[in-house]
């Protein structure tokens, strides 16, 4: 008995001292000792799309190296099954439904209220220089953006000292980079205009000149053609500023390295958000044929290369041992998301979501269960972790890492998972919300999916039919769904009817979460 108690005490002491080891450095007065934070955010990358998680047909040596020398998580989640909501949660520590975050148009206003506490603002307060490089998709300006002037509010007003943006998505106009809230290389003689309602200017569109396209596209992706790719939305002018999709990897790596280099002598936070492997998939010719899966696989190879470039650069500058790198993705995988790029035809035996059911947009696990690796040489040890946690937790976890005490309005849904993220604990969350077109709740071994709020079969089909058309199982039903993930990780057998009380409890827990921040 005493022996056991002693063991517990020794273990606790060891555990606490490991944790304080992680923090000790951040307490030192020399600012440069605070760990740098790099979040590498892939787009639409599924759990099974990386080598260490079983990818077939594409190699990801750089990402695998991070996983082998860091922690590879099997039950880590983005907050939602689509991009904008996940990014909103990552940066605010708040569930996306609290601000009604949905996939945004390319001319949507800034979604994050400038008075909302954000992860980059919290880090700034603690002496960090902060940057976002890559896909933004959180809106810009106040609703009527003039792309020819400084665009405000934007990343600066939510806490980023430096920004280099793909403003919305690769498939949406405007197809220009925005650096520190100004369109890059814009010629004022040729003003840039954007419309999501009607054709403007005389740039060919996919519906008028389909012969100009490199890839066939569905009607939503068939508007203005830029660089041989028809996009969502219309655009005219600004020709000198138009991006070349094939240059994304080099541009994003270049801008990331420049930011790291400029700030190497002080703590920094880099949020590097790739376009890859979102549509349109148009990798640089260096990566064509690098996979057996056509453009989708080649985009994975390209994204892996970018990851290697940035991580190796940290090493080259001697920063790697003082930098925590989180590699993850914003939502589950999708094959045909609007363009015919042969992702379906060339898939072979590869399973983008691994053993999980569903994909992007889906309420099933593949919607939010993300490939997730945390890498911090010499501070964290190599392992696999099955702990449950969400990207919404990064805010509170990084706050703890640098000894920032959260106040009552900060990060209302963010739980401190620092010990989990750094591998000192395998005890993740007890409960976690997953957002999609409905709500799901994880609790212990259970996964509950809230029924859709309609009684008409027709409305159900119109609500989720479009997801089915993409070959993805939406996971929506008029009935409650309950799965035991311990026995049925692929969510094949709905056991809601046998567990009425549990279903009721989980539904009421969702109601509680809806009412107020889960941290309080
Ligand atoms: C959808 C687009 C899809 C993709 C998605 C956003 C249509 C029919 N589909 O509306 O192609 O752009 O938005 O993807 O327009 S995400 O990863 O940014 O959430
Ligand atoms: Ca996405």
């Amino acid at each position: 008995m005493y022996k056991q108690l002693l063991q517990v005490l020794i273990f606790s002491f060891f555990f606490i001292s490991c944790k304080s080891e992680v923090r000790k450095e951040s307490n030192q007065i020399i600012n440069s000792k605070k760990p740098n934070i790099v979040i590498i955010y892939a787009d639409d990358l599924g759990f099974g799309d990386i080598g260490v998680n079983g990818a077939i047909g594409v190699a990801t040596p750089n990402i695998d190296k991070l996983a082998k020398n860091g922690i590879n998580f099997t039950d880590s989640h983005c907050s939602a099954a689509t991009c904008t909501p996940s990014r909103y949660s990552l940066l605010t520590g708040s569930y996306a439904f609290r601000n009604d975050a949905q996939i945004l148009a390319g001319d949507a206003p800034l979604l994050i209220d400038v008075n909302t506490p954000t992860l980059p603002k919290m880090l700034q307060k603690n002496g960090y220089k902060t940057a976002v490089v890559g896909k933004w998709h959180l809106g810009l300006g106040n609703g009527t953006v003039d792309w020819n002037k400084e665009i405000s509010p934007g990343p600066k007003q939510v806490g980023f000292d430096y920004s280099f943006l793909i403003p919305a998505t690769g498939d949406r106009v405007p197809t220009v980079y925005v650096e520190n809230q100004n369109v890059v290389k814009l010629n004022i003689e040729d003003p840039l205009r954007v419309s999501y309602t009607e054709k403007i200017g005389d740039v060919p569109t996919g519906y008028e000149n389909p012969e100009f396209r490199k890839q066939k596209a569905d009607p939503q992706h068939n508007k203005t053609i830029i660089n041989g790719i028809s996009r969502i939305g219309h655009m005219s002018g600004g020709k000198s500023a138009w991006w070349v999709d094939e240059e994304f990897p080099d541009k994003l790596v270049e801008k990331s390295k420049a930011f790291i280099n400029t700030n190497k002598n002080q703590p920094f936070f880099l949020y590097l958000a790739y376009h890859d492997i979102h549509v349109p998939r148009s990798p640089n010719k260096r990566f064509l044929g690098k996979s057996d899966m056509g453009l989708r696989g080649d985009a994975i190879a390209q994204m892996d290369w970018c990851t290697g470039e940035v991580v190796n650069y940290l090493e080259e500058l001697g920063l790697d041992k003082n930098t925590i790198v989180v590699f993850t993705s914003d939502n589950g995988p999708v094959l045909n998301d609007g363009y015919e790029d042969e992702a379906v035809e060339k898939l072979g035996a590869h399973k983008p979501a691994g053993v999980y059911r569903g994909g992007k947009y889906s309420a099933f696990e593949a919607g939010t269960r993300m490939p997730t690796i945390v890498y911090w040489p010499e501070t964290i040890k190599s392992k696999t972790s099955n702990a449950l946690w969400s990207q919404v937790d990064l805010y509170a976890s990084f706050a703890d890492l640098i000894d920032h005490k959260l106040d009552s309005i900060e990060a209302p849904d963010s739980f401190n998972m620092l010990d989990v993220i750094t591998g000192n604990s395998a005890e993740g969350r007890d409960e976690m919300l997953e957002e999609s077109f409905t709500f799901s709740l994880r609790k212990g071994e259970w996964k509950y999916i809230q029924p859709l709020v309609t009684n008409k079969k027709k409305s159900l089909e119109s609500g989720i039919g479009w997801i089915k058309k993409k070959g993805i199982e939406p996971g929506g039903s008029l009935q409650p769904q309950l799965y035991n993930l311990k026995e049925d990780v692929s969510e094949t057998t709905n056991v809601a009817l046998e567990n009425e009380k549990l279903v009721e409890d989980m539904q009421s827990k969702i109601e509680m979460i809806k009412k107020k921040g889960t941290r309080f």
Side-chain angles (χ1 to χ4, degrees):
M1 170 74 189
Y2 280 111
K3 207 175 146 202
Q4 272 178 347
L5 190 68
L6 195 67
Q7 274 176 346
V8 169
L9 282 174
I10 291 172
F11 176 77
S12 313
F13 176 74
F14 177 73
F15 177 71
I16 291 164
S17 57
C18 277
K19 190 169 158 170
S20 59
E21 272 308 299
V22 171
R23 283 215 206 91
K24 207 165 65 192
E25 300 197 5
S26 68
N27 287 337
Q28 294 183 359
I29 301 153
I30 316 160
N31 238 5
S32 65
K33 279 286 169 196
K34 280 188 184 169
N36 307 309
I37 298 170
V38 175
I39 298 178
I40 303 181
Y41 215 44
D43 198 353
D44 296 2
L45 188 75
F47 183 86
D49 278 327
I50 56 174
V52 278
N53 291 350
I56 302 168
V58 63
T60 56
N62 292 296
I63 295 165
D64 295 356
K65 199 168 136 195
L66 298 186
K68 283 177 190 146
N69 296 292
I71 309 173
N72 189 15
F73 290 92
T74 62
D75 206 358
S76 161
H77 293 249
C78 52
S79 80
T82 48
C83 158
T84 301
S86 287
R87 283 158 210 256
Y88 178 83
S89 295
L90 172 72
L91 294 181
T92 62
S94 172
Y95 285 135
F97 73 84
R98 298 199 197 284
N99 194 24
D100 195 23
Q102 312 278 348
I103 297 174
L104 293 179
D107 60 352
L110 180 68
L111 176 69
I112 302 174
D113 185 296
V114 295
N115 298 312
T116 299
T118 64
L119 172 62
K121 276 186 180 168
M122 183 272 285
L123 293 171
Q124 274 178 336
K125 272 192 206 149
N126 288 279
Y128 281 70
K129 282 282 179 215
T130 58
V132 50
V133 173
K135 174 172 171 178
W136 180 241
H137 210 191
L138 289 164
L140 288 167
N142 278 326
T144 46
V145 180
D146 181 346
W147 298 93
N148 307 287
K149 296 192 177 138
E150 181 169 328
I151 301 155
S152 189
K156 193 180 170 86
Q157 288 69 28
V158 298
F160 287 106
D161 296 303
Y162 172 75
S163 58
F164 182 84
L165 309 181
I166 291 168
T169 58
D171 56 356
R172 284 175 173 77
V173 299
T175 56
V176 293
Y177 299 118
V178 175
E179 188 167 32
N180 291 329
Q181 296 174 211
N182 287 285
V183 172
V184 177
K185 286 200 189 140
L186 188 67
N187 173 1
I188 45 163
E189 310 278 288
D190 178 27
L192 172 66
R193 292 193 301 135
V194 167
S195 167
Y196 273 77
T197 50
E198 63 201 349
K199 180 170 178 181
I200 43 171
D202 53 11
V203 185
T205 61
Y207 54 89
E208 292 162 318
N209 291 97
E211 71 282 7
F212 293 164
R213 303 171 309 180
K214 294 189 241 187
Q215 293 175 13
K216 281 192 188 163
D218 69 15
Q220 282 89 350
H221 294 79
N222 218 12
K223 312 295 180 327
T224 303
I225 300 174
I226 306 287
N227 190 32
I229 298 167
S230 52
R231 318 275 170 166
I232 307 177
H234 290 97
M235 172 170 132
S236 78
K239 199 161 181 190
S240 56
W242 295 359
W243 73 43
V244 176
D245 305 66
E246 292 78 2
E247 291 172 359
F248 283 163
D250 297 294
K251 276 274 179 252
L252 301 192
V253 164
E254 176 203 321
K255 298 293 175 181
S256 298
K257 284 186 181 176
F259 171 76
I260 292 170
N261 191 35
T262 308
N263 294 288
K264 58 178 180 285
N265 295 322
Q266 59 148 83
F268 61 80
F269 166 51
L270 169 64
Y271 167 47
L272 166 57
Y274 297 139
H275 157 74
D276 289 321
I277 59 167
H278 199 281
V279 295
R281 300 180 185 113
S282 197
N284 190 283
K285 63 174 186 310
R286 304 200 301 278
F287 300 97
L288 295 180
K290 285 281 176 214
S291 78
D292 300 333
M293 295 193 287
L295 294 176
R296 185 172 183 277
D298 297 350
I300 295 176
Q302 172 169 285
M303 185 266 318
D304 180 70
W305 173 83
C306 295
T307 307
E309 282 297 297
V310 172
V311 174
N312 293 342
Y313 191 63
L314 291 169
E315 207 173 307
E316 215 176 293
L317 295 185
L319 298 170
D320 56 322
K321 301 196 176 57
N322 194 36
T323 305
I324 180 167
V325 178
V326 179
F327 173 89
T328 188
S329 175
D330 71 334
N331 54 248
V334 57
L335 297 177
N336 184 341
D337 207 9
Y339 297 91
E340 291 181 24
D341 61 8
E342 298 193 303
V344 177
E345 296 79 353
K346 295 193 169 164
L347 187 65
H350 177 79
K351 290 197 163 38
V355 294
Y356 305 109
R357 191 170 177 188
K360 181 172 180 174
Y361 311 109
S362 172
F364 287 132
E365 280 296 280
T368 62
R369 203 185 275 231
M370 292 296 98
T372 306
I373 297 160
V374 176
Y375 174 77
W376 190 355
E378 289 184 8
T379 299
I380 60 174
K381 304 214 167 41
S382 157
K383 63 171 74 151
T384 298
S385 170
N386 301 328
L388 175 70
W389 64 282
S390 162
Q391 291 165 14
V392 79
D393 300 326
L394 286 170
Y395 192 133
S397 308
F398 288 146
D400 187 26
L401 176 69
I402 60 167
D403 272 338
H404 169 91
K405 210 170 156 343
L406 294 180
D407 69 31
S408 61
I409 55 157
E410 270 184 288
D413 299 301
S414 189
F415 287 6
N416 179 2
M417 290 280 130
L418 182 64
D419 292 335
V420 166
I421 291 167
T422 52
N424 289 320
S425 166
E427 291 289 314
R429 277 169 166 261
D430 299 329
E431 289 171 340
M432 190 195 70
L433 190 76
E434 297 174 8
E435 295 191 57
S436 57
F437 52 84
T438 182
F439 291 112
S440 310
L441 187 74
R442 290 280 310 273
K443 185 180 168 58
E445 64 205 50
W446 301 101
K447 157 86 174 268
Y448 167 68
I449 305 177
Q450 175 179 295
L452 291 170
V453 199
T454 166
N455 287 318
K456 295 183 204 129
K457 178 107 187 349
K458 206 162 159 259
S459 318
L460 176 69
E461 281 312 306
S462 62
I464 58 174
W466 62 275
I467 304 177
K468 279 191 196 159
K469 281 196 197 126
K470 290 177 186 286
I472 294 172
E473 293 181 282
S477 170
L478 297 179
Q479 308 305 325
Q481 295 174 76
L482 184 73
Y483 298 96
N484 184 316
L485 296 183
K486 204 166 155 201
E487 289 160 10
D488 178 24
V489 78
S490 306
E491 298 167 278
T492 59
T493 312
N494 181 7
V495 292
L497 284 178
E498 296 94 299
N499 295 280
E500 273 178 23
K501 175 78 176 62
L502 185 58
V503 164
E504 224 174 82
D505 289 351
M506 289 180 86
Q507 181 60 47
S508 51
K509 179 70 200 186
I510 292 178
E511 299 309 326
M512 273 168 67
I513 293 173
K514 282 193 208 158
K515 283 194 194 118
K516 68 176 174 68
T518 44
R519 195 164 62 79
F520 307 116

